[in-house]
Amino acid sequence: MRVTGTAQRDAWVARTWPPVEEVRAGLWSVPVPIPENPLRYTLTYLIATDSALLVIDPGWDTDAGWNALSDGLKTTGASPEDVSGIVVTHMHPDHHGMSGRLRDASGAWIAMHPAERETLAMMRAQGADMAAGDRAWLRGCGVPEEIAAELNMGSGNGPTFAGMVDPDRLLEHGDLVPVDGRRLRAVWTPGHTPGHLCLHEETENVLLTGDHVLPRISPNIGLQPHAAEPPLAAYLRSLEFVASYDSAEALPAHEYRFAGLASRVRMLLAHHERRCDEVTEILRMLGPATIWQVTTQMTWSRGWSAVTGFMRRAALAEAGAHLQHLVATGRVTVAVSGLAEIFAVAT
Ligand SMILES: [Zn+2]
Protein backbone atom coordinates (compact mmCIF):
# COMPACT_ATOMS: atom_id res chain seq x y z
CA MET A 1 0.00 0.00 0.00
CA ARG A 2 1.34 3.43 -0.92
CA VAL A 3 -0.02 6.76 0.34
CA THR A 4 -0.76 9.04 -2.62
CA GLY A 5 -2.49 11.81 -0.64
CA THR A 6 0.72 12.90 1.08
CA ALA A 7 -0.58 16.39 1.91
CA GLN A 8 -3.64 14.73 3.46
CA ARG A 9 -1.50 12.28 5.40
CA ASP A 10 0.86 15.02 6.65
CA ALA A 11 -2.19 16.98 7.84
CA TRP A 12 -3.54 13.82 9.50
CA VAL A 13 -0.30 13.24 11.39
CA ALA A 14 0.15 16.92 12.34
CA ARG A 15 -3.57 17.17 13.23
CA THR A 16 -3.91 20.18 10.95
CA TRP A 17 -6.51 20.69 8.25
CA PRO A 18 -5.90 19.02 4.86
CA PRO A 19 -6.20 21.19 1.74
CA VAL A 20 -8.94 21.14 -0.88
CA GLU A 21 -7.23 19.26 -3.71
CA GLU A 22 -7.95 18.73 -7.39
CA VAL A 23 -7.14 15.02 -7.44
CA ARG A 24 -7.90 14.63 -11.16
CA ALA A 25 -9.10 17.16 -13.73
CA GLY A 26 -12.57 18.14 -12.55
CA LEU A 27 -12.46 15.96 -9.42
CA TRP A 28 -11.79 17.58 -6.05
CA SER A 29 -11.55 16.36 -2.45
CA VAL A 30 -12.92 18.67 0.23
CA PRO A 31 -12.53 17.99 3.98
CA VAL A 32 -15.84 18.64 5.77
CA PRO A 33 -15.63 18.69 9.60
CA ILE A 34 -17.36 16.10 11.81
CA PRO A 35 -18.10 17.55 15.25
CA GLU A 36 -16.39 15.89 18.22
CA ASN A 37 -15.17 12.83 16.37
CA PRO A 38 -11.63 11.42 16.20
CA LEU A 39 -12.00 11.02 12.41
CA ARG A 40 -12.27 14.87 12.35
CA TYR A 41 -13.54 15.16 8.77
CA THR A 42 -15.25 13.49 5.89
CA LEU A 43 -13.53 13.74 2.51
CA THR A 44 -16.33 14.98 0.28
CA TYR A 45 -15.71 14.67 -3.47
CA LEU A 46 -16.84 17.13 -6.13
CA ILE A 47 -17.06 16.01 -9.74
CA ALA A 48 -17.66 18.54 -12.49
CA THR A 49 -18.59 18.00 -16.12
CA ASP A 50 -19.57 20.53 -18.78
CA SER A 51 -23.20 20.22 -17.79
CA ALA A 52 -23.28 18.90 -14.23
CA LEU A 53 -21.79 19.21 -10.77
CA LEU A 54 -21.91 16.20 -8.45
CA VAL A 55 -21.24 16.08 -4.72
CA ILE A 56 -20.35 12.68 -3.27
CA ASP A 57 -21.05 12.44 0.51
CA PRO A 58 -21.87 16.04 1.50
CA GLY A 59 -20.83 15.41 5.14
CA TRP A 60 -22.18 16.09 8.63
CA ASP A 61 -24.84 18.80 8.85
CA THR A 62 -23.40 21.72 10.81
CA ASP A 63 -22.80 25.35 9.87
CA ALA A 64 -19.04 24.72 9.94
CA GLY A 65 -19.58 21.80 7.57
CA TRP A 66 -21.73 23.91 5.28
CA ASN A 67 -19.05 26.61 5.17
CA ALA A 68 -16.32 24.05 4.40
CA LEU A 69 -18.40 22.56 1.59
CA SER A 70 -19.24 26.02 0.21
CA ASP A 71 -15.56 27.01 0.30
CA GLY A 72 -14.66 23.80 -1.53
CA LEU A 73 -17.28 24.53 -4.18
CA LYS A 74 -15.92 28.07 -4.51
CA THR A 75 -12.50 26.62 -5.37
CA THR A 76 -14.12 24.96 -8.37
CA GLY A 77 -15.80 28.23 -9.36
CA ALA A 78 -19.21 27.08 -8.14
CA SER A 79 -21.60 27.57 -5.23
CA PRO A 80 -24.11 25.26 -3.49
CA GLU A 81 -26.92 26.40 -5.83
CA ASP A 82 -24.98 24.98 -8.81
CA VAL A 83 -24.98 21.38 -7.57
CA SER A 84 -27.04 19.11 -9.84
CA GLY A 85 -26.64 15.70 -8.20
CA ILE A 86 -25.72 14.20 -4.83
CA VAL A 87 -24.57 10.60 -4.39
CA VAL A 88 -24.10 9.10 -0.92
CA THR A 89 -21.96 6.04 -0.30
CA HIS A 90 -24.10 5.27 2.77
CA MET A 91 -26.62 6.84 5.10
CA HIS A 92 -24.43 7.59 8.13
CA PRO A 93 -24.70 11.22 9.26
CA ASP A 94 -21.06 12.03 8.44
CA HIS A 95 -21.88 11.22 4.79
CA HIS A 96 -25.58 11.81 4.20
CA GLY A 97 -26.24 14.33 7.00
CA MET A 98 -26.03 17.46 4.84
CA SER A 99 -27.72 16.03 1.73
CA GLY A 100 -31.13 17.51 2.56
CA ARG A 101 -29.71 20.98 3.15
CA LEU A 102 -27.77 20.83 -0.11
CA ARG A 103 -30.84 19.62 -2.03
CA ASP A 104 -32.89 22.48 -0.56
CA ALA A 105 -30.28 25.00 -1.71
CA SER A 106 -29.80 23.57 -5.21
CA GLY A 107 -32.71 21.37 -6.26
CA ALA A 108 -30.19 18.57 -6.91
CA TRP A 109 -31.33 14.94 -6.90
CA ILE A 110 -30.00 12.53 -4.28
CA ALA A 111 -29.00 8.97 -5.14
CA MET A 112 -28.15 5.93 -2.99
CA HIS A 113 -28.41 2.14 -3.11
CA PRO A 114 -31.92 0.71 -2.53
CA ALA A 115 -30.78 -1.25 0.56
CA GLU A 116 -29.55 2.02 2.03
CA ARG A 117 -32.93 3.67 1.52
CA GLU A 118 -34.51 0.74 3.39
CA THR A 119 -31.98 0.99 6.21
CA LEU A 120 -32.65 4.70 6.55
CA ALA A 121 -36.42 4.12 6.65
CA MET A 122 -35.93 1.43 9.28
CA MET A 123 -33.72 3.63 11.47
CA ARG A 124 -36.24 6.46 11.25
CA ALA A 125 -39.19 4.18 12.04
CA GLN A 126 -37.36 2.85 15.09
CA GLY A 127 -36.99 6.44 16.31
CA ALA A 128 -40.16 6.46 18.43
CA ASP A 129 -39.67 2.93 19.71
CA MET A 130 -35.95 3.19 19.98
CA ALA A 131 -35.62 3.07 23.76
CA ALA A 132 -37.67 -0.12 24.22
CA GLY A 133 -36.20 -1.96 21.22
CA ASP A 134 -32.73 -0.97 22.26
CA ARG A 135 -33.22 -2.11 25.84
CA ALA A 136 -34.19 -5.55 24.55
CA TRP A 137 -31.12 -5.65 22.29
CA LEU A 138 -28.77 -4.61 25.11
CA ARG A 139 -30.32 -7.28 27.41
CA GLY A 140 -29.80 -9.85 24.68
CA CYS A 141 -26.12 -8.87 24.65
CA GLY A 142 -25.99 -9.41 28.42
CA VAL A 143 -25.22 -5.78 29.27
CA PRO A 144 -25.80 -5.10 33.01
CA GLU A 145 -28.88 -2.90 33.58
CA GLU A 146 -27.01 0.10 35.05
CA ILE A 147 -24.65 0.22 32.05
CA ALA A 148 -27.45 -0.41 29.55
CA ALA A 149 -29.11 2.84 30.64
CA GLU A 150 -26.03 4.81 29.50
CA LEU A 151 -25.82 3.03 26.17
CA ASN A 152 -29.44 3.28 25.12
CA MET A 153 -29.83 5.10 21.79
CA GLY A 154 -33.30 6.20 22.89
CA SER A 155 -31.77 8.37 25.61
CA GLY A 156 -30.39 10.84 23.10
CA ASN A 157 -26.87 9.37 23.02
CA GLY A 158 -26.94 8.18 19.46
CA PRO A 159 -26.97 9.86 16.09
CA THR A 160 -30.33 11.07 14.91
CA PHE A 161 -31.77 9.82 11.65
CA ALA A 162 -34.96 11.87 11.93
CA GLY A 163 -33.73 14.74 9.75
CA MET A 164 -32.12 12.62 7.05
CA VAL A 165 -33.85 12.67 3.70
CA ASP A 166 -34.89 9.94 1.28
CA PRO A 167 -33.17 9.62 -2.10
CA ASP A 168 -34.76 10.71 -5.38
CA ARG A 169 -32.90 8.08 -7.39
CA LEU A 170 -31.58 4.61 -6.71
CA LEU A 171 -28.28 3.14 -7.85
CA GLU A 172 -28.01 -0.62 -8.18
CA HIS A 173 -24.72 -2.47 -8.50
CA GLY A 174 -23.26 -1.74 -11.95
CA ASP A 175 -25.43 1.31 -12.67
CA LEU A 176 -23.80 4.41 -14.11
CA VAL A 177 -24.50 7.61 -12.17
CA PRO A 178 -26.83 9.58 -14.47
CA VAL A 179 -24.50 12.34 -15.61
CA ASP A 180 -23.20 13.25 -19.06
CA GLY A 181 -19.48 13.35 -19.63
CA ARG A 182 -18.41 10.95 -16.86
CA ARG A 183 -18.46 7.21 -16.47
CA LEU A 184 -19.05 6.85 -12.76
CA ARG A 185 -20.21 3.36 -11.91
CA ALA A 186 -21.85 2.12 -8.69
CA VAL A 187 -20.09 -0.80 -7.00
CA TRP A 188 -22.24 -2.33 -4.25
CA THR A 189 -20.12 -3.16 -1.18
CA PRO A 190 -22.43 -4.21 1.70
CA GLY A 191 -20.85 -4.69 5.14
CA HIS A 192 -20.28 -1.37 6.93
CA THR A 193 -23.94 -0.77 6.04
CA PRO A 194 -26.28 -2.96 3.95
CA GLY A 195 -26.37 -0.58 0.96
CA HIS A 196 -22.85 0.84 1.02
CA LEU A 197 -21.61 1.90 -2.43
CA CYS A 198 -18.15 2.50 -3.83
CA LEU A 199 -17.99 4.54 -7.04
CA HIS A 200 -15.60 3.77 -9.87
CA GLU A 201 -14.64 6.65 -12.17
CA GLU A 202 -13.71 4.51 -15.14
CA THR A 203 -11.86 7.01 -17.32
CA GLU A 204 -9.56 8.20 -14.56
CA ASN A 205 -9.54 4.77 -12.88
CA VAL A 206 -10.13 6.01 -9.35
CA LEU A 207 -12.34 4.20 -6.83
CA LEU A 208 -14.23 6.31 -4.30
CA THR A 209 -14.26 3.83 -1.43
CA GLY A 210 -16.51 5.60 1.11
CA ASP A 211 -15.95 3.87 4.46
CA HIS A 212 -15.54 0.42 2.87
CA VAL A 213 -11.74 0.59 2.65
CA LEU A 214 -9.78 3.21 4.58
CA PRO A 215 -5.97 3.35 4.68
CA ARG A 216 -5.42 3.19 8.44
CA ILE A 217 -8.47 2.14 10.40
CA SER A 218 -10.76 -0.80 9.93
CA PRO A 219 -14.37 0.39 9.52
CA ASN A 220 -16.81 -0.72 12.18
CA ILE A 221 -18.75 -3.78 11.14
CA GLY A 222 -21.56 -4.05 13.63
CA LEU A 223 -24.69 -6.14 14.00
CA GLN A 224 -27.45 -4.99 11.69
CA PRO A 225 -30.62 -6.71 12.86
CA HIS A 226 -32.50 -5.71 9.68
CA ALA A 227 -29.75 -6.62 7.16
CA ALA A 228 -30.44 -9.33 4.62
CA GLU A 229 -27.27 -11.21 5.52
CA PRO A 230 -24.83 -11.20 8.45
CA PRO A 231 -22.75 -8.04 8.01
CA LEU A 232 -19.30 -9.54 8.53
CA ALA A 233 -19.83 -12.19 5.86
CA ALA A 234 -21.08 -9.48 3.49
CA TYR A 235 -18.14 -7.25 4.36
CA LEU A 236 -15.50 -9.93 3.78
CA ARG A 237 -17.04 -10.76 0.41
CA SER A 238 -17.22 -7.07 -0.58
CA LEU A 239 -13.59 -6.63 0.45
CA GLU A 240 -12.47 -9.45 -1.81
CA PHE A 241 -14.54 -7.92 -4.58
CA VAL A 242 -12.82 -4.52 -4.49
CA ALA A 243 -9.37 -6.13 -4.47
CA SER A 244 -9.97 -6.53 -8.22
CA TYR A 245 -9.73 -2.71 -8.50
CA ASP A 246 -6.08 -2.88 -7.50
CA SER A 247 -4.93 -0.68 -10.40
CA ALA A 248 -7.22 2.15 -9.26
CA GLU A 249 -6.20 4.86 -6.85
CA ALA A 250 -8.44 4.64 -3.76
CA LEU A 251 -10.20 7.84 -2.72
CA PRO A 252 -11.62 7.11 0.75
CA ALA A 253 -14.13 9.19 2.72
CA HIS A 254 -11.74 9.63 5.67
CA GLU A 255 -8.01 9.89 6.35
CA TYR A 256 -6.06 10.03 3.03
CA ARG A 257 -5.94 8.56 -0.45
CA PHE A 258 -3.72 5.67 -1.43
CA ALA A 259 -2.80 3.09 -4.06
CA GLY A 260 -2.62 -0.66 -3.53
CA LEU A 261 -6.20 -1.70 -2.79
CA ALA A 262 -5.44 -5.43 -2.96
CA SER A 263 -2.76 -5.22 -0.29
CA ARG A 264 -4.97 -3.06 1.93
CA VAL A 265 -7.78 -5.62 1.45
CA ARG A 266 -5.42 -8.41 2.54
CA MET A 267 -4.57 -6.48 5.70
CA LEU A 268 -8.24 -5.99 6.51
CA LEU A 269 -9.09 -9.65 5.87
CA ALA A 270 -6.22 -10.68 8.15
CA HIS A 271 -7.45 -8.22 10.79
CA HIS A 272 -10.90 -9.85 10.84
CA GLU A 273 -9.40 -13.33 10.90
CA ARG A 274 -7.33 -12.32 13.95
CA ARG A 275 -10.41 -10.81 15.55
CA CYS A 276 -12.31 -14.07 15.04
CA ASP A 277 -9.41 -16.04 16.54
CA GLU A 278 -9.26 -13.66 19.49
CA VAL A 279 -13.01 -13.99 20.16
CA THR A 280 -12.75 -17.81 20.01
CA GLU A 281 -9.79 -17.72 22.43
CA ILE A 282 -11.73 -15.50 24.85
CA LEU A 283 -14.66 -17.94 24.78
CA ARG A 284 -12.30 -20.80 25.44
CA MET A 285 -10.95 -18.94 28.46
CA LEU A 286 -14.30 -17.68 29.84
CA GLY A 287 -16.43 -20.67 28.98
CA PRO A 288 -19.99 -19.89 27.82
CA ALA A 289 -20.39 -16.10 27.76
CA THR A 290 -22.56 -13.21 26.60
CA ILE A 291 -21.58 -10.68 23.92
CA TRP A 292 -20.97 -8.16 26.70
CA GLN A 293 -18.56 -10.47 28.54
CA VAL A 294 -16.62 -11.16 25.35
CA THR A 295 -16.53 -7.45 24.43
CA THR A 296 -14.93 -6.43 27.73
CA GLN A 297 -12.12 -8.97 27.18
CA MET A 298 -11.26 -7.97 23.59
CA THR A 299 -8.29 -5.78 22.70
CA TRP A 300 -9.28 -2.17 22.01
CA SER A 301 -6.71 0.31 20.72
CA ARG A 302 -6.73 2.42 23.89
CA GLY A 303 -7.94 -0.31 26.25
CA TRP A 304 -11.49 -1.18 27.29
CA SER A 305 -11.53 1.47 30.04
CA ALA A 306 -11.08 4.14 27.32
CA VAL A 307 -14.08 2.77 25.39
CA THR A 308 -16.88 4.83 26.90
CA GLY A 309 -20.39 6.03 26.09
CA PHE A 310 -21.57 5.48 22.56
CA MET A 311 -18.29 3.79 21.54
CA ARG A 312 -19.29 0.88 23.80
CA ARG A 313 -22.25 0.20 21.56
CA ALA A 314 -20.02 0.07 18.51
CA ALA A 315 -17.68 -2.28 20.39
CA LEU A 316 -20.59 -4.53 21.39
CA ALA A 317 -21.90 -4.58 17.85
CA GLU A 318 -18.45 -5.44 16.52
CA ALA A 319 -18.03 -8.33 18.98
CA GLY A 320 -21.55 -9.46 18.10
CA ALA A 321 -20.82 -9.42 14.36
CA HIS A 322 -17.73 -11.59 14.88
CA LEU A 323 -19.62 -14.01 17.14
CA GLN A 324 -22.44 -14.23 14.59
CA HIS A 325 -19.90 -14.97 11.86
CA LEU A 326 -18.25 -17.66 14.01
CA VAL A 327 -21.66 -19.25 14.60
CA ALA A 328 -22.44 -19.16 10.87
CA THR A 329 -19.12 -20.85 10.09
CA GLY A 330 -19.60 -23.51 12.78
CA ARG A 331 -16.79 -22.49 15.15
CA VAL A 332 -19.09 -21.23 17.90
CA THR A 333 -22.55 -22.20 19.14
CA VAL A 334 -25.26 -19.98 20.56
CA ALA A 335 -28.12 -20.68 22.95
CA VAL A 336 -30.67 -18.40 24.57
CA SER A 337 -30.71 -18.31 28.32
CA GLY A 338 -33.31 -16.06 29.94
CA LEU A 339 -33.10 -12.78 28.01
CA ALA A 340 -29.51 -13.12 26.84
CA GLU A 341 -27.70 -15.09 24.17
CA ILE A 342 -24.88 -17.29 25.44
CA PHE A 343 -22.01 -18.20 23.12
CA ALA A 344 -19.61 -21.13 23.48
CA VAL A 345 -16.80 -22.71 21.45
CA ALA A 346 -18.19 -25.52 19.30
CA THR A 347 -16.91 -28.92 20.38
ZN1 LIG B 1 -17.80 7.73 7.66
Side-chain angles (χ1 to χ4, degrees), residues 34 37 39 41-43 57 60 89-90 92-95 192 196 210-212 214 217 219 253-254:
I34 313 173
N37 187 298
L39 285 174
Y41 52 84
T42 303
L43 292 171
D57 286 344
W60 196 290
T89 58
H90 61 296
H92 284 163
D94 54 326
H95 299 259
H192 180 58
H196 189 285
D211 282 0
H212 182 52
L214 300 171
I217 60 165
H254 302 286

mmCIF file of all heavy atoms in Angstrom, residues 34 37 39 41-43 57 60 89-90 92-95 192 196 210-212 214 217 219 253-254, ligand 1:
data_model
loop_
_atom_site.group_PDB
_atom_site.id
_atom_site.type_symbol
_atom_site.label_atom_id
_atom_site.label_comp_id
_atom_site.label_asym_id
_atom_site.label_seq_id
_atom_site.Cartn_x
_atom_site.Cartn_y
_atom_site.Cartn_z
ATOM 1 N N ILE A 34 -16.396 16.881 11.022
ATOM 2 C CA ILE A 34 -17.358 16.097 11.808
ATOM 3 C C ILE A 34 -17.199 16.563 13.249
ATOM 4 O O ILE A 34 -16.087 16.511 13.788
ATOM 5 C CB ILE A 34 -17.047 14.582 11.766
ATOM 6 C CG1 ILE A 34 -16.765 14.114 10.343
ATOM 7 C CG2 ILE A 34 -18.180 13.780 12.400
ATOM 8 C CD1 ILE A 34 -16.273 12.652 10.290
ATOM 9 N N ASN A 37 -15.398 14.207 16.828
ATOM 10 C CA ASN A 37 -15.175 12.834 16.367
ATOM 11 C C ASN A 37 -13.698 12.686 16.019
ATOM 12 O O ASN A 37 -13.133 13.561 15.359
ATOM 13 C CB ASN A 37 -16.057 12.587 15.124
ATOM 14 C CG ASN A 37 -16.016 11.137 14.672
ATOM 15 O OD1 ASN A 37 -14.960 10.628 14.306
ATOM 16 N ND2 ASN A 37 -17.157 10.484 14.725
ATOM 17 N N LEU A 39 -12.269 11.025 13.856
ATOM 18 C CA LEU A 39 -11.995 11.024 12.412
ATOM 19 C C LEU A 39 -11.864 12.448 11.862
ATOM 20 O O LEU A 39 -11.366 12.648 10.757
ATOM 21 C CB LEU A 39 -13.107 10.296 11.649
ATOM 22 C CG LEU A 39 -13.101 8.773 11.745
ATOM 23 C CD1 LEU A 39 -14.332 8.199 11.057
ATOM 24 C CD2 LEU A 39 -11.842 8.215 11.093
ATOM 25 N N TYR A 41 -12.889 14.647 9.989
ATOM 26 C CA TYR A 41 -13.539 15.162 8.774
ATOM 27 C C TYR A 41 -13.920 14.027 7.837
ATOM 28 O O TYR A 41 -13.367 12.930 7.904
ATOM 29 C CB TYR A 41 -12.633 16.147 8.016
ATOM 30 C CG TYR A 41 -11.255 15.600 7.738
ATOM 31 C CD1 TYR A 41 -11.020 14.782 6.629
ATOM 32 C CD2 TYR A 41 -10.189 15.877 8.589
ATOM 33 C CE1 TYR A 41 -9.764 14.251 6.385
ATOM 34 C CE2 TYR A 41 -8.931 15.355 8.354
ATOM 35 C CZ TYR A 41 -8.733 14.545 7.254
ATOM 36 O OH TYR A 41 -7.493 14.012 7.012
ATOM 37 N N THR A 42 -14.887 14.355 7.003
ATOM 38 C CA THR A 42 -15.247 13.494 5.886
ATOM 39 C C THR A 42 -14.595 14.092 4.651
ATOM 40 O O THR A 42 -14.584 15.309 4.483
ATOM 41 C CB THR A 42 -16.784 13.500 5.694
ATOM 42 O OG1 THR A 42 -17.388 13.076 6.915
ATOM 43 C CG2 THR A 42 -17.210 12.567 4.559
ATOM 44 N N LEU A 43 -14.020 13.247 3.796
ATOM 45 C CA LEU A 43 -13.533 13.743 2.509
ATOM 46 C C LEU A 43 -14.703 13.668 1.528
ATOM 47 O O LEU A 43 -15.118 12.594 1.095
ATOM 48 C CB LEU A 43 -12.347 12.918 2.021
ATOM 49 C CG LEU A 43 -11.064 13.077 2.852
ATOM 50 C CD1 LEU A 43 -10.008 12.057 2.445
ATOM 51 C CD2 LEU A 43 -10.509 14.504 2.730
ATOM 52 N N ASP A 57 -21.106 12.373 -0.955
ATOM 53 C CA ASP A 57 -21.051 12.443 0.508
ATOM 54 C C ASP A 57 -20.885 13.886 1.013
ATOM 55 O O ASP A 57 -19.769 14.304 1.382
ATOM 56 C CB ASP A 57 -19.892 11.589 1.071
ATOM 57 C CG ASP A 57 -20.191 10.091 0.999
ATOM 58 O OD1 ASP A 57 -21.357 9.709 0.813
ATOM 59 O OD2 ASP A 57 -19.231 9.305 1.152
ATOM 60 N N TRP A 60 -21.348 15.889 7.429
ATOM 61 C CA TRP A 60 -22.184 16.091 8.626
ATOM 62 C C TRP A 60 -22.830 17.479 8.563
ATOM 63 O O TRP A 60 -22.173 18.445 8.196
ATOM 64 C CB TRP A 60 -21.334 15.967 9.889
ATOM 65 C CG TRP A 60 -22.136 15.770 11.135
ATOM 66 C CD1 TRP A 60 -22.931 16.699 11.744
ATOM 67 C CD2 TRP A 60 -22.231 14.573 11.914
ATOM 68 N NE1 TRP A 60 -23.512 16.141 12.857
ATOM 69 C CE2 TRP A 60 -23.116 14.857 12.990
ATOM 70 C CE3 TRP A 60 -21.668 13.295 11.821
ATOM 71 C CZ2 TRP A 60 -23.432 13.899 13.964
ATOM 72 C CZ3 TRP A 60 -21.985 12.354 12.793
ATOM 73 C CH2 TRP A 60 -22.860 12.658 13.850
ATOM 74 N N THR A 89 -22.465 7.418 -0.381
ATOM 75 C CA THR A 89 -21.955 6.044 -0.299
ATOM 76 C C THR A 89 -22.772 5.249 0.708
ATOM 77 O O THR A 89 -22.988 4.052 0.526
ATOM 78 C CB THR A 89 -20.468 6.037 0.125
ATOM 79 O OG1 THR A 89 -20.329 6.695 1.396
ATOM 80 C CG2 THR A 89 -19.605 6.745 -0.913
ATOM 81 N N HIS A 90 -23.219 5.918 1.794
ATOM 82 C CA HIS A 90 -24.100 5.272 2.768
ATOM 83 C C HIS A 90 -24.765 6.334 3.627
ATOM 84 O O HIS A 90 -24.419 7.509 3.551
ATOM 85 C CB HIS A 90 -23.344 4.224 3.593
ATOM 86 C CG HIS A 90 -22.209 4.735 4.412
ATOM 87 N ND1 HIS A 90 -21.069 5.299 3.867
ATOM 88 C CD2 HIS A 90 -22.025 4.755 5.756
ATOM 89 C CE1 HIS A 90 -20.236 5.631 4.836
ATOM 90 N NE2 HIS A 90 -20.796 5.323 5.998
ATOM 91 N N HIS A 92 -24.909 7.073 6.850
ATOM 92 C CA HIS A 92 -24.432 7.590 8.134
ATOM 93 C C HIS A 92 -24.371 9.124 8.087
ATOM 94 O O HIS A 92 -24.123 9.705 7.034
ATOM 95 C CB HIS A 92 -23.056 7.002 8.467
ATOM 96 C CG HIS A 92 -23.142 5.580 8.942
ATOM 97 N ND1 HIS A 92 -22.052 4.737 8.982
ATOM 98 C CD2 HIS A 92 -24.203 4.845 9.395
ATOM 99 C CE1 HIS A 92 -22.441 3.548 9.446
ATOM 100 N NE2 HIS A 92 -23.738 3.588 9.690
ATOM 101 N N PRO A 93 -24.587 9.753 9.264
ATOM 102 C CA PRO A 93 -24.698 11.216 9.264
ATOM 103 C C PRO A 93 -23.435 11.956 8.818
ATOM 104 O O PRO A 93 -23.530 13.097 8.366
ATOM 105 C CB PRO A 93 -25.043 11.562 10.723
ATOM 106 C CG PRO A 93 -24.885 10.307 11.506
ATOM 107 C CD PRO A 93 -24.915 9.153 10.572
ATOM 108 N N ASP A 94 -22.270 11.327 8.906
ATOM 109 C CA ASP A 94 -21.059 12.030 8.435
ATOM 110 C C ASP A 94 -20.936 11.962 6.906
ATOM 111 O O ASP A 94 -19.992 12.528 6.334
ATOM 112 C CB ASP A 94 -19.783 11.489 9.115
ATOM 113 C CG ASP A 94 -19.600 9.994 8.980
ATOM 114 O OD1 ASP A 94 -20.618 9.260 8.975
ATOM 115 O OD2 ASP A 94 -18.447 9.532 8.871
ATOM 116 N N HIS A 95 -21.884 11.303 6.258
ATOM 117 C CA HIS A 95 -21.878 11.220 4.788
ATOM 118 C C HIS A 95 -23.146 11.866 4.210
ATOM 119 O O HIS A 95 -23.078 12.741 3.363
ATOM 120 C CB HIS A 95 -21.761 9.756 4.348
ATOM 121 C CG HIS A 95 -20.499 9.129 4.840
ATOM 122 N ND1 HIS A 95 -19.397 8.943 4.047
ATOM 123 C CD2 HIS A 95 -20.126 8.725 6.096
ATOM 124 C CE1 HIS A 95 -18.419 8.428 4.778
ATOM 125 N NE2 HIS A 95 -18.833 8.281 6.014
ATOM 126 N N HIS A 192 -20.226 -2.499 5.971
ATOM 127 C CA HIS A 192 -20.278 -1.374 6.930
ATOM 128 C C HIS A 192 -21.735 -0.947 7.113
ATOM 129 O O HIS A 192 -22.175 -0.682 8.226
ATOM 130 C CB HIS A 192 -19.405 -0.245 6.388
ATOM 131 C CG HIS A 192 -19.353 0.970 7.262
ATOM 132 N ND1 HIS A 192 -18.931 0.940 8.568
ATOM 133 C CD2 HIS A 192 -19.678 2.270 7.005
ATOM 134 C CE1 HIS A 192 -18.993 2.168 9.080
ATOM 135 N NE2 HIS A 192 -19.448 2.981 8.155
ATOM 136 N N HIS A 196 -24.029 0.005 1.271
ATOM 137 C CA HIS A 196 -22.847 0.837 1.017
ATOM 138 C C HIS A 196 -22.430 0.729 -0.445
ATOM 139 O O HIS A 196 -22.422 -0.355 -1.032
ATOM 140 C CB HIS A 196 -21.692 0.393 1.920
ATOM 141 C CG HIS A 196 -20.516 1.319 1.882
ATOM 142 N ND1 HIS A 196 -19.651 1.364 0.806
ATOM 143 C CD2 HIS A 196 -20.076 2.245 2.765
ATOM 144 C CE1 HIS A 196 -18.737 2.289 1.044
ATOM 145 N NE2 HIS A 196 -18.967 2.834 2.222
ATOM 146 N N GLY A 210 -15.639 5.325 -0.044
ATOM 147 C CA GLY A 210 -16.506 5.602 1.113
ATOM 148 C C GLY A 210 -15.826 5.164 2.389
ATOM 149 O O GLY A 210 -14.652 5.459 2.622
ATOM 150 N N ASP A 211 -16.548 4.408 3.234
ATOM 151 C CA ASP A 211 -15.947 3.867 4.458
ATOM 152 C C ASP A 211 -15.580 2.395 4.288
ATOM 153 O O ASP A 211 -15.168 1.749 5.258
ATOM 154 C CB ASP A 211 -16.938 3.979 5.639
ATOM 155 C CG ASP A 211 -16.991 5.387 6.206
ATOM 156 O OD1 ASP A 211 -16.276 6.271 5.687
ATOM 157 O OD2 ASP A 211 -17.751 5.604 7.163
ATOM 158 N N HIS A 212 -15.766 1.860 3.083
ATOM 159 C CA HIS A 212 -15.535 0.420 2.874
ATOM 160 C C HIS A 212 -14.065 0.049 3.075
ATOM 161 O O HIS A 212 -13.749 -0.916 3.780
ATOM 162 C CB HIS A 212 -15.996 0.039 1.473
ATOM 163 C CG HIS A 212 -15.859 -1.425 1.155
ATOM 164 N ND1 HIS A 212 -16.368 -2.402 1.966
ATOM 165 C CD2 HIS A 212 -15.270 -2.068 0.114
ATOM 166 C CE1 HIS A 212 -16.103 -3.596 1.433
ATOM 167 N NE2 HIS A 212 -15.436 -3.413 0.320
ATOM 168 N N LEU A 214 -10.501 2.016 4.154
ATOM 169 C CA LEU A 214 -9.776 3.208 4.585
ATOM 170 C C LEU A 214 -8.325 2.800 4.785
ATOM 171 O O LEU A 214 -8.030 1.630 5.042
ATOM 172 C CB LEU A 214 -10.362 3.749 5.891
ATOM 173 C CG LEU A 214 -11.849 4.154 5.848
ATOM 174 C CD1 LEU A 214 -12.376 4.457 7.251
ATOM 175 C CD2 LEU A 214 -12.065 5.359 4.949
ATOM 176 N N ILE A 217 -7.576 2.822 9.453
ATOM 177 C CA ILE A 217 -8.466 2.143 10.396
ATOM 178 C C ILE A 217 -9.330 1.127 9.668
ATOM 179 O O ILE A 217 -9.500 1.168 8.445
ATOM 180 C CB ILE A 217 -9.375 3.116 11.182
ATOM 181 C CG1 ILE A 217 -10.266 3.919 10.235
ATOM 182 C CG2 ILE A 217 -8.557 4.012 12.089
ATOM 183 C CD1 ILE A 217 -11.400 4.612 10.942
ATOM 184 N N PRO A 219 -13.039 -0.159 9.243
ATOM 185 C CA PRO A 219 -14.366 0.395 9.518
ATOM 186 C C PRO A 219 -15.166 -0.517 10.443
ATOM 187 O O PRO A 219 -14.992 -1.739 10.421
ATOM 188 C CB PRO A 219 -15.021 0.482 8.140
ATOM 189 C CG PRO A 219 -14.281 -0.474 7.290
ATOM 190 C CD PRO A 219 -12.893 -0.534 7.840
ATOM 191 N N ALA A 253 -13.347 8.094 2.138
ATOM 192 C CA ALA A 253 -14.132 9.194 2.716
ATOM 193 C C ALA A 253 -13.527 9.723 4.014
ATOM 194 O O ALA A 253 -14.061 10.665 4.592
ATOM 195 C CB ALA A 253 -15.569 8.742 2.944
ATOM 196 N N HIS A 254 -12.439 9.116 4.487
ATOM 197 C CA HIS A 254 -11.744 9.627 5.671
ATOM 198 C C HIS A 254 -10.247 9.405 5.481
ATOM 199 O O HIS A 254 -9.827 8.641 4.616
ATOM 200 C CB HIS A 254 -12.195 8.908 6.950
ATOM 201 C CG HIS A 254 -13.668 9.015 7.215
ATOM 202 N ND1 HIS A 254 -14.260 10.165 7.656
ATOM 203 C CD2 HIS A 254 -14.670 8.113 7.068
ATOM 204 C CE1 HIS A 254 -15.569 9.964 7.796
ATOM 205 N NE2 HIS A 254 -15.849 8.730 7.437
HETATM 206 ZN ZN ZN B 1 -17.804 7.732 7.656
#
